[in-house]
Amino acid sequence: TVQHFSDSEDEVDEKAQMNGASRSKGSGEAPSVQRRIQYFEARADRNYVDTLMDRAPFGGTPLFERGAGYGRPLNSRNAVLTFYDEDLPLYFVALNRERLKIKYSASEGLNLGYLVHKNVFAELLEDAQMSGSGAGREEDANLQMVRTLRTHLLQWIADVLRSPLPGETKTWILRCCERMGMVAVAPYQEANHVNLAVIAYCLCRCCPSNTEASLFLRGVLTSTWHIPAEVSAFIERKSDVYGLYVVRPGTLQKMRDCGLQVALRNFEREVWQRSMNNTAMYLDIISHFSDYCCFAYVQGLPRIDDIVLKWLAEYTRVHPWRFIFLESVDTSFNFPENRDRCNFRFAPPNPLHAIKRAEDLQSPVVADIRPSHSVQYPERLAPSAQDVQDPRKLFQRLGSQFAQEGSEASRSLFAPTPGASSFRSDFRGELEHYLFGADPCLVLLVSAPGAGKTYHMGALRGRLEGEGQFDIHEFDGSSDILVTTALSEILQRTVMTQSTSGQKLLVLDEYHMLSDEHKDELFEWVRAKLGPSLRVVLIANRIDSKDHERLEQLQPGDVGGACPQVKVGLIQTRLSRQRTCEVMESRGNSEKWREAVCDWLVGSRLIFGEESISLRLCDTLEGALHKPDPGSTLVGLLLHRVPTISRSTASEFVSAYLQHVGLRCQGLAPASGLVGTCFRVAMLDRKKDEMCSFVEFLERTPRAQEALPAVRLLAWCVYMMNAHNRWDINLAVAWAKRREFVDQVNFPFELGEESAGSQSSVGPTFSWAGDPSSLRDLVDAVKRGHSVDWSDVHRKVWAVEHIKDSELFAQLLSSCRNPGMILQQVLPGNLCSLLRLSNTPAPKAVQLARIILQHAPHSCDGAVDKPRCLAWWTILLHDRQELEVLDLLRLAGGPAPLLETLLWARDWATDRRSTSSPQARTRLLQQALVLICMQDQVPLTLPQLTLLWTGNFGRLLHAGVAAQEEAWGKKLVDAPSASKSAELFAQGELPNVLPLERFRRILQGVADVQEDWPLEIQALWRIGHCRSTAREVSALWGAAPHLLQSRWCDEDARSAGQSRGWPIHEYFLNGIVTSSGALARSLQRALLAGGCPIPEEVPPTAFVSACADALNEMRNAGQLGGVRVAGVGAEAVMRLIREEMSA
């Protein structure tokens, strides 16, 4: 039967003719026309429960803009209308062609979507409306379940219709939906068509089950298909969503023995040749699926990138009948959120979990995947037995060794009141402050996976659309659409809308999965679009230093940043105990186990890091605690979350935890070692949950990486004990029973043998077995958490061949937790070449420079290649951030390194062109020179002082004006007399000129006039060295008299100077009076009446001769009594004046 829907008067007339034909047939007359056509009035067909919901006047938008058409409100993308605004009993389900990889074919064309009759789901939706209704509920609330169920049903039925199932099977599924499962005849299943049954079963298993009727329908659909037990194991879905397996060798044959059709792809050759990137590999794998092959089996991959793993998992999610099997892939170093998407039922056991002794590290199975080597640790960092006996003494000792100079973060951890975690325990208030504020914003929200970031953004959606009138658009940064389409194009299409009311809000999830190229493209697009019409929220699980740099460059005050009213924020958060309790209460978890679950999450976070916990673990932990003996389950759970730790560590942690919550721990070792002690220390913070985890502790104290792994654990323990002022935990027993550790990133790998009597300065550490000549491989290894032997890399590669790719080297440094270990192994000349703009763009050079200044060693042999000095100079010239002289002082590491840097820059800095506000940077360099000349922490000799203001720096020397001299006087008076430190002078506004007293010392110490000096300074030098003329002296006196005057005198002279004029400085007096020619009358009067001190070397006759004209005027005016001179030569001058005047 063809259903035809009338929407014109002509068709209504045709319907009347057909009715007449039917009446004539009933009367025995032959009908004029015979057709198998059934007509419906669109509105009279049936009253569907969701029709009014889609056409409600509130929250809808007109079908056409006013003046271009008409229409009632429409708030559903699934509704189907006529041009006469009539409701048709159809749903339209659009297909995302890019996401589903749908392509045009000559036989089938291009599938854009499906039209589904409303009768298919009418009874299911009516049942949902009745089950959702209740006393006191409003009509809108009754339809909420209808709306949710309909969305799920339409998405599911689209999967069914686009699947390779036969038409008869699809028809049967539609009929089952229409009759809510009350279908007597099931489709016939042939015994040898296992693959077809698997496809049908997988699709039926995905049927929504929001209501009892839909749950019954799902049961009817799934029970129809017979799946052998041996096949069922291969079609399980992780979390009922993902069909991605990690399997051991031999699984392929077992699958084929079950009759499954499996496509095989071996990448062994491509991996060896490195001839395939992630995009090509992903497209190659999914190309092996066909209509009747729903299993793809991959061999030859020892490891897999996180982005490919995420793409494959998401591909199986949107194609629920397809499965991917990865043979012998090591996922130990993949992100935990990606491992959670994999099924490990057939996975090979982790060889690392079988390691118990140091000899096991050399076994071929272990050495092939995790090679190791021995490393020498400084003996000075190993605590003595007496130190361990007294935790307070141990805290002071380790604090003095690990606190890094110039690093506030590391010093705060060993302060009497130590710093807490830098990650916020609750991000919701700050995020809502940004989003509901008046100013547009970009917010980067970062936390370990499972902290509820995406969930909270979804919960905020209703408020944002209602209160803020936001037009919200979402995009997944890990989407495989990026394989074929540019990110900027996708973002532009994502935020494109016809709505002109309110702001657009772009929510980009999985930001951390974007490549660096995509991140740069994203921020370029945001910089152009961010403003009053667009806000952006980026959600990430982890970031690096380059992401911090991108945010800083986007700040409104930065050059090329966002518009001034835009706010740029970074929210780094974590999963806290308070948040966990709220979620468990809302989910209805058993109150009996809530405290125990929270204690596990707090202890695991503090010891193994933020990525070891997740809100998804709450239900799993509660289920494990219900068991009579939960020990083995909890050990397996911890090893899955943190696969890089040993089984000994997991067993001791679980043993300590079960003892803490009062449960039996059969078969587990007693928790008397360092790990058990760490757990007891972690429980000091179980209620507040605010201190640094062991992983964050290491990030904030890089020097701790130089110590033995066991010493690091002790350092974290005393940090926690000091934070809670609890010193009653016995560390000596745990230290005496400590086991040997294999060093690695984050928590070390614990062996099963004790090391109390072993040599404390040497220990094993895991290394990396990749190609050290490939920077890209090194970056990938560091991001995955591999421990790389950097001395071996230096010996094999960097000592022979210089690093040339500054982009990849910057990624390597920003991804490493301890960049200092890398910088120690790179030749100084190589680092300097990477910093020069001839090899590296300015932004990248600045990024490298900041890392070098923070982590590179201070000592460096050689006079020319000094990476720290060149890094400081690079930041001064090219950093676009606003800098002050205090920033330059701290970047250098103090006054002594700053002096070394300035002296180096005077002679060896070849780059003199600034790319960031040259005038401001010139003033900043002058302030740095002034600062180092005025401080007294590092005394400067006169040759050093003159070196700083001559040569290439000569042009920077300027004489201050009178106002600057007064500012210097006030600054020196306010400064404490005991010490004039560099930090003190750098506070507040620092003049960019020296005070005249220090300025004259430079003129006195320079042997010859500098051509780069300004003309007035050259004139001052000639006056001071008695090489000037009276004409030059008089010109300078008329232009800047304060340069020749002395304003640093006692209080009596100062008050006299303010009334009569300041005296001429004695350093210039000899050069003035011996200059050839006649001095200006005003200068002669200043010499006579200013009270200038006359040194012994100034001839009295020369002084009187230079002032002869002024003396005659004063004698004629009767003002000789106003002559005031001082100093050792004053008496001789006065006597000569009296003799001359009497004559």
Side-chain angles (χ1 to χ4, degrees), residues 460-479:
L460 277 181
R461 186 177 185 116
R463 285 185 56 197
L464 290 168
E465 291 177 336
E467 299 178 19
Q469 295 295 311
F470 282 105
D471 185 14
I472 302 177
H473 304 269
E474 298 176 345
F475 179 70
D476 185 353
S478 64
S479 173

Side-chain angles (χ1 to χ4, degrees), residues 355-463:
I355 298 176
K356 294 183 179 180
R357 299 174 302 172
E359 291 79 9
D360 297 336
L361 297 173
Q362 308 305 321
S363 66
V365 177
V366 174
D368 186 48
I369 61 172
R370 294 296 303 277
S372 59
H373 63 281
S374 297
V375 65
Q376 186 82 21
Y377 295 97
E379 294 186 4
R380 58 182 176 81
L381 298 179
S384 63
Q386 293 75 14
D387 292 334
V388 181
Q389 291 288 342
D390 187 354
R392 288 188 176 89
K393 183 179 179 181
L394 180 62
F395 173 77
Q396 295 174 356
R397 184 178 186 276
L398 295 178
S400 62
Q401 291 176 334
F402 292 160
Q404 189 174 1
E405 294 181 7
S407 173
E408 296 294 333
S410 61
R411 285 204 299 265
S412 67
L413 296 182
F414 293 96
T417 305
S421 173
S422 59
F423 303 138
R424 293 172 177 80
S425 59
D426 193 345
F427 64 91
R428 292 172 291 180
E430 186 174 2
L431 178 62
E432 293 174 18
H433 173 74
Y434 277 110
L435 294 179
F436 291 99
D439 297 327
C441 61
L442 178 141
V443 183
L444 176 55
L445 178 61
V446 186
S447 80
K453 306 181 295 294
T454 305
Y455 175 83
H456 184 65
M457 278 303 304
L460 277 181
R461 186 177 185 116
R463 285 185 56 197

Side-chain angles (χ1 to χ4, degrees), residues 980-999:
K980 295 180 174 59
S981 66
E983 287 269 349
L984 177 66
F985 277 114
Q987 301 289 340
E989 180 63 26
L990 181 70
N992 64 327
V993 295
L994 288 167
L996 292 178
E997 195 66 26
R998 190 62 56 93
F999 171 76

